[in-house]
Amino acid sequence: MIEMQLGPSGVNGRGSGDVPRQGELTPDVIEEILRKFLGLPAAPAVVAAKKGIRPSLCAGCGHRAAFYAIRATFPAGILPSDIGCYTLGMNFGAVDTCHCMGACIGQGAGFYHAYAAGGADFATIVVTIGDSTFFRAGLPGLINAVFQGARFILVILDNATTAMTGHQPTPQIGVRADGSEGRKVFIPDLVRACGVRHLREIDPYDVEAFTAALKEADSFIRSPEGDIAVLIAGHPCIVNRAARQAQAVFAMSITDDCVGCRVCIDAFECPAILFDEEQDRAQIDQNRCIGCGVCVHVCPTDAIRAEGSKA
Ligand code: SF4
Ligand code: SF4
């Protein structure tokens, strides 16, 4: 709009081709524009994970922490999921299926019955669904799965909002779309009302506790009295500024212990972790990193460090 008002001449912008016509104006893109404008040499060849190829979960997203723990705990697991920003878990192998909204729970039950028909041993099935999708379409599938005696782990990724479609509040928040107050409806109450007996609530930022809960859930579903285990992985969406400002912020760095294995890129895919091709090692992009500290759990050589709190 500003370019159009100023007219066609003398403006370095989208019209002149100096600014890309598509894509986000991320810090690296703006740096490139400024370097060209100021006649400075090109930036060093630091390449973001899969940069320019596909979108990824936000830096510091709690879903990534949950997905990482699920993949690490059950590398041969079957992982049905659903529609939301968490579908992006597909990028790093944490989501196997995505069909119509709410289908993931029915798929999990179907996979269980198909595999169990071949004998007592069955692959671990971990179904993931977002909190708003669960409210919208998850309940009938869960009731049926409990009633039919399916055995799988259901992880409800609860970020306390409907992030993908514009942060509409969920019934658990107690605020209607017009801002008025509504009577809250709680996910744990709904899960218990569906007949689920094994229910745990954990913040997935605590990767060790979440991993322990996954293992406990797997033991439950395989026990004689077991059926469905539900974990509520609760961590607020980090796009929610108030929630982000309320959490600890660590000063992150990667030490010389980095051996360039790319595990933090390929198995974790935080957009704040870049790979320096020239030096063959990972780096933290301090402009994107929110200092959540979760990536320290990922590096096999303990090269990623989280220190103190910047806040
Ligand atoms: S920081 Fe760790 S996980 Fe990432 S490339 Fe280096 S050694 Fe591998
Ligand atoms: S601390 Fe690690 S996981 Fe968290 S945003 Fe920064 S680079 Fe990503």
Side-chain angles (χ1 to χ4, degrees):
M1 287 299 293
I2 293 170
E3 279 187 56
M4 286 166 65
Q5 296 297 319
L6 291 174
S9 61
V11 176
N12 295 71
R14 290 207 148 106
S16 66
D18 291 290
V19 176
R21 284 182 173 273
Q22 69 289 320
E24 284 185 70
L25 294 177
T26 51
D28 50 317
V29 172
I30 292 173
E31 182 182 354
E32 206 174 304
I33 295 165
L34 288 174
R35 281 179 178 275
K36 197 172 152 195
F37 181 72
L38 297 170
L40 298 173
V46 175
V47 181
K50 315 298 182 191
K51 180 176 137 188
I53 297 174
R54 58 190 180 188
S56 60
L57 293 169
C58 300
C61 175
H63 298 341
R64 175 179 290 102
F67 279 141
Y68 174 76
I70 291 168
R71 279 288 284 126
T73 309
F74 307 113
I78 299 171
L79 310 174
S81 191
D82 222 284
I83 298 171
C85 34
Y86 53 95
T87 313
L88 293 166
M90 205 172 272
N91 286 355
F92 47 104
V95 168
D96 289 336
T97 68
C98 177
H99 192 47
C100 57
M101 192 171 257
C104 62
I105 298 178
Q107 287 179 322
F111 286 134
Y112 166 72
H113 290 299
Y115 277 88
D121 199 17
F122 57 91
T124 297
I125 299 157
V126 185
V127 175
T128 47
I129 188 169
D131 51 343
S132 45
T133 310
F134 180 70
F135 277 117
R136 171 69 176 81
L139 291 166
L142 183 56
I143 293 165
N144 190 52
V146 169
F147 185 61
Q148 299 294 346
R151 293 170 183 253
F152 60 83
I153 302 169
L154 172 63
V155 177
I156 300 174
L157 300 163
D158 181 8
N159 62 0
T161 189
T162 315
M164 190 177 74
T165 52
H167 289 266
Q168 295 82 3
T170 71
Q172 192 162 244
I173 305 306
V175 179
R176 299 191 186 108
D178 65 358
S180 62
E181 199 174 320
R183 195 190 306 166
K184 293 181 181 178
V185 180
F186 295 102
I187 292 174
D189 293 345
L190 293 174
V191 170
R192 288 191 195 95
C194 289
V196 171
R197 295 166 298 149
H198 184 105
L199 172 64
R200 303 285 184 269
E201 296 178 62
I202 312 112
D203 184 336
Y205 265 32
D206 189 341
V207 175
E208 285 169 12
F210 192 69
T211 301
L214 286 168
K215 291 177 179 170
E216 182 199 20
D218 193 43
S219 298
F220 173 77
I221 66 172
R222 294 174 186 283
S223 66
E225 70 282 3
D227 49 14
I228 291 176
V230 176
L231 307 184
I232 299 175
H235 195 94
C237 174
I238 50 87
V239 174
N240 178 334
R241 183 177 299 183
R244 192 171 72 230
Q245 287 174 342
Q247 71 183 39
V249 180
F250 297 97
M252 303 302 300
S253 61
I254 297 183
T255 70
D256 290 343
D257 291 334
C258 173
V259 295
C261 68
R262 288 179 177 263
V263 167
C264 57
I265 304 280
D266 297 333
F268 193 64
E269 206 200 33
C270 176
I273 303 179
L274 313 177
F275 199 80
D276 187 330
E277 301 287 354
E278 285 174 5
Q279 296 192 41
D280 195 29
R281 55 176 288 179
Q283 289 182 6
I284 304 277
D285 180 345
Q286 300 294 346
N287 288 322
R288 292 185 180 186
C289 174
I290 70 156
C292 70
V294 174
C295 54
V296 296
H297 298 276
V298 173
C299 177
T301 64
D302 291 331
I304 304 179
R305 296 283 164 83
E307 288 173 24
S309 172
K310 284 195 273 189

